[in-house]
Amino acid sequence: MIRIGNASGFYGDRFSAVREMLTGGPLDVLTGDYLAELTMLILGRDRLKDPSRGYAKTFLRQMEENLGLAKDRGVRIVANAGGLNPAGLAGALRDLATRLGIDVAVAHVEGDDLLPRAGELGFGEPLTANAYLGAWGIAECLNAGADVVVTGRVTDASVVVGPAAAHFGWARDDYDALAGAVAAGHVIECGAQATGGNYAFFTEHAIGTPGFPVAEIHADGSSVITKHEGTGGVVDVGTVTAQLLYEIGGGRYAGPDVTARFDTIELAQDGPDRVRLSDVRGEPPPPTVKVCLNKLGGFRNEVTFVLTGLDIDAKAALVREQVEEALKENPPAEVRWTLARTDHPDAVTEETASALLHCAVKDPDPTVAGRAFSGAAIELALASYPGFHVTAPPSDASPYGVYTEAFVDAAGVPHVAVLPDGSRVDVAPPGETRMLADPEEPPLPEPLPPGPVRRVPLGLVAGARSGDKGGNANLGVWVRSDDAWRWLVHTLTTGTLQRLLPETASLPVRRYVLPRLRAVNFVVEGLLGDGVAAKARFDPQAKALGEWLRARHIDIPEVLL
């Protein structure tokens, strides 16, 4: 087998994780995922200021502390920290190694940056335009002897699939093995989310500070998800299920190298903090690859008015009327009001007696969203509702981004492995492709027989994990027994979800059934507007959407309680 660990789930994750993973136990490869849709926007703005940047600077600092340690322990490093400038990061790593006197072979993968072709491809004028490459460029670099491989925008799982494919010598059409590695990569890509972080049933475990995950991958693509002995957190079927459901759609999980059938995955506890993941089936990848597009959408600003005590609705109406009157000569392009009724009657503290009225504005003109809006809000300090105050002084407007996705022919996207000796290897597109189609909904089990019920929170029997994919929200819900599954799959329909979460009622919602995981997955289209950078709603990445659902009350059979 090959032991592949992860030390980063996002740009800003625990800095010490690289050293912890290198010193905590045996590893063959250490990976890191530094890129997200929002990160690409951040790196794009960095590149505007300095064309030599555009990569994750944190990774370079981590390597300054740990490159020698990795070399001494024979652990190879694979990370997508190259962002928009993998060649620049590779060069900086070579300079670092020379300065530290460490003999390491550095390679990188490029070709994902389609910004120079944005007009030709019909993308308009984005700030960033990056295709999701696959694992074969990474495998080429490792086969050429690279100790460190940095990439630009590859799929999150590719940093795991590439080392496994190189280690076992998989062919491009070893779809089942590749699909198994994709599933393992998907589990560990978000770091501690696989080891008890952000876990619905966290109260059942001593989570502490979770260690980072390790995937022990075998030649057939099966794997065991675990963590270094003695580290915090927990790895069980529940934590792995939660991460498998994170930010997916249906049973077919498409990538540039293989479409992994997540509806075939079998999970089994394989000992303390060990979960076996097997039987994953794979199919040829689709003929197109996804492209992440970010552009600057304009400028945004916000203020939160604190409304305390009596007449909350009347106070909110007054200040809203006053602000809109002050802005009517030059109104922002978008004004959004949200009243959060956090107040309680007869409250024993001022904070619990208060509600929060948020006003957010967006406009192409930074002055309209900045000084004009801030002035309109703060000039009301002595002329509005009783008890007027705000959570923070209004500030200047800040730029916001808009995320969209596009799809292009895989054959038209360059994929280049730049080897340690500087030679360049073109990675061919897939030789076989298959149009993506949702699997037919599997046969459902018999419903649970009627019986007494209690109206209690859904979360007493169901776990959930939610997140974002551009403007869409993903919400996976699972249960832990066959009887609970018989109840859940017949109860938690799209209509029930829309009733429990009224924000979703007017939006398209798709449900996917995953019996082997005892799970249903929902995709709520458009809930997040233009994506996280646009901050279209409270909780702009839908991270807590699942916890809101779990807190909603529903009739649950007493036999399950």
Side-chain angles (χ1 to χ4, degrees):
M1 68 178 176
I2 180 173
R3 289 186 179 90
I4 303 176
N6 171 282
S8 176
F10 68 101
Y11 191 11
D13 209 342
R14 190 190 313 165
F15 186 88
S16 61
V18 171
R19 179 166 290 272
E20 292 167 12
M21 291 299 287
L22 289 172
T23 59
L27 281 181
D28 299 301
V29 178
L30 182 62
T31 67
D33 178 15
Y34 291 79
L35 303 183
E37 294 158 0
L38 179 61
T39 313
M40 301 303 283
L41 177 71
I42 294 168
L43 295 178
R45 293 177 60 189
D46 284 350
R47 186 170 62 176
L48 279 179
K49 299 173 187 174
D50 182 351
S52 69
R53 294 306 178 105
Y55 55 78
K57 298 184 287 291
T58 299
F59 175 76
L60 196 60
R61 288 171 35 226
Q62 288 173 311
M63 290 301 98
E64 184 165 12
E65 291 188 8
N66 297 291
L67 188 58
L69 179 61
K71 178 69 174 179
D72 291 343
R73 297 194 171 220
V75 178
R76 302 166 98 175
I77 307 289
V78 180
N80 62 12
L84 302 176
N85 188 7
L89 178 56
L93 284 167
R94 293 187 188 96
D95 292 343
L96 173 66
T98 299
R99 178 164 57 85
L100 297 177
I102 303 170
D103 181 21
V104 293
V106 179
H108 74 274
V109 177
E110 62 186 31
D112 61 295
D113 192 348
L114 302 182
L115 190 62
R117 299 170 54 200
E120 165 202 340
L121 295 169
F123 296 159
E125 298 182 357
L127 177 65
T128 69
N130 295 82
Y132 284 78
L133 301 182
W136 295 105
I138 295 169
E140 287 280 356
C141 293
L142 293 171
N143 285 333
D147 299 302
V148 181
V149 182
V150 291
T151 76
R153 178 71 277 184
V154 298
T155 68
D156 297 344
S158 289
V159 295
V160 172
V161 179
H167 180 80
F168 294 115
W170 291 335
R172 297 286 292 261
D173 60 356
D174 283 332
Y175 296 126
D176 290 349
L178 291 167
V182 166
H186 184 73
V187 171
I188 73 169
E189 72 188 37
C190 285
Q193 280 196 172
T195 56
N198 301 354
Y199 182 49
F201 299 113
F202 74 99
T203 58
E204 298 177 4
H205 306 279
I207 299 297
T209 301
F212 276 64
V214 175
E216 299 174 352
I217 302 179
H218 296 265
D220 63 354
S222 65
S223 63
V224 170
I225 308 300
T226 185
K227 62 187 182 69
H228 285 331
E229 188 174 350
T231 56
V234 62
V235 178
D236 66 12
V237 169
T239 66
V240 173
T241 298
Q243 187 54 29
L244 282 170
L245 294 173
Y246 185 58
E247 295 181 350
I248 67 168
R252 283 188 168 96
Y253 186 73
D257 302 317
V258 63
T259 294
R261 293 291 300 262
F262 275 31
D263 54 350
T264 65
I265 296 172
E266 290 283 357
L267 298 180
Q269 199 72 35
D270 195 47
D273 293 319
R274 293 178 63 83
V275 172
R276 182 167 298 280
L277 194 159
S278 61
D279 290 349
V280 190
R281 297 292 174 258
E283 298 171 348
T288 58
V289 295
K290 189 167 81 169
V291 181
C292 168
L293 302 173
N294 280 296
K295 66 179 181 179
L296 294 177
F299 297 84
R300 72 181 307 278
N301 204 349
E302 62 185 343
V303 64
T304 300
F305 302 94
V306 182
L307 316 174
T308 302
L310 305 178
D311 306 318
I312 296 295
D313 289 332
K315 289 172 179 174
L318 174 60
V319 73
R320 178 170 179 168
E321 176 188 349
Q322 291 174 319
V323 170
E324 290 178 348
E325 175 68 21
L327 295 174
K328 71 178 183 180
E329 288 188 9
N330 195 8
E334 180 182 332
V335 182
R336 180 168 48 87
W337 294 89
T338 308
L339 176 60
R341 292 301 302 260
T342 52
D343 55 304
H344 300 270
D346 195 23
V348 296
T349 67
E350 183 176 337
E351 187 171 3
T352 56
S354 301
L356 301 175
L357 178 65
H358 306 280
C359 181
V361 299
K362 293 178 180 177
D363 198 85
D365 186 339
T367 302
V368 172
R371 290 191 300 273
F373 170 68
S374 296
I378 209 63
E379 287 169 5
L380 296 174
L382 305 180
S384 190
Y385 60 86
F388 180 103
H389 67 286
V390 296
T391 56
S395 61
D396 290 336
S398 57
Y400 71 91
V402 173
Y403 167 87
T404 55
E405 64 182 32
F407 293 86
V408 298
D409 189 338
V413 177
H415 187 172
V416 182
V418 183
L419 306 183
D421 64 2
S423 59
R424 302 171 65 85
V425 176
D426 291 323
V427 177
E432 180 186 11
T433 61
R434 184 181 300 175
M435 292 296 294
L436 189 66
D438 290 330
E440 294 182 5
E441 183 163 302
L444 302 184
E446 287 295 317
L448 204 61
V453 299
R454 272 192 277 158
R455 195 162 190 82
V456 293
L458 174 64
L460 293 187
V461 296
R465 171 68 61 78
S466 57
D468 63 318
K469 278 296 181 186
N472 298 341
N474 151 251
L475 172 52
V477 184
W478 81 95
V479 288
R480 299 184 288 181
S481 73
D482 289 339
D483 281 347
W485 170 239
R486 293 168 63 192
W487 171 78
L488 180 80
V489 73
H490 289 283
T491 302
L492 195 57
T493 63
T494 55
T496 303
L497 181 87
Q498 290 174 309
R499 177 178 61 79
L500 293 173
L501 304 183
E503 281 186 54
T504 71
S506 63
L507 299 172
V509 178
R510 287 173 280 130
R511 186 182 89 150
Y512 301 96
V513 178
L514 299 165
R516 292 194 178 194
L517 300 178
R518 298 196 192 101
V520 290
N521 187 54
F522 296 92
V523 176
V524 184
E525 297 182 13
L527 182 68
L528 307 179
D530 291 322
V532 56
K535 296 184 179 177
R537 70 184 291 273
F538 179 73
D539 184 21
Q541 288 182 284
K543 297 294 188 183
L545 188 67
E547 287 303 292
W548 178 26
L549 177 65
R550 294 182 69 238
R552 296 289 282 155
H553 288 216
I554 190 171
D555 291 337
I556 297 179
E558 287 189 353
V559 68
L560 302 181
L561 299 170

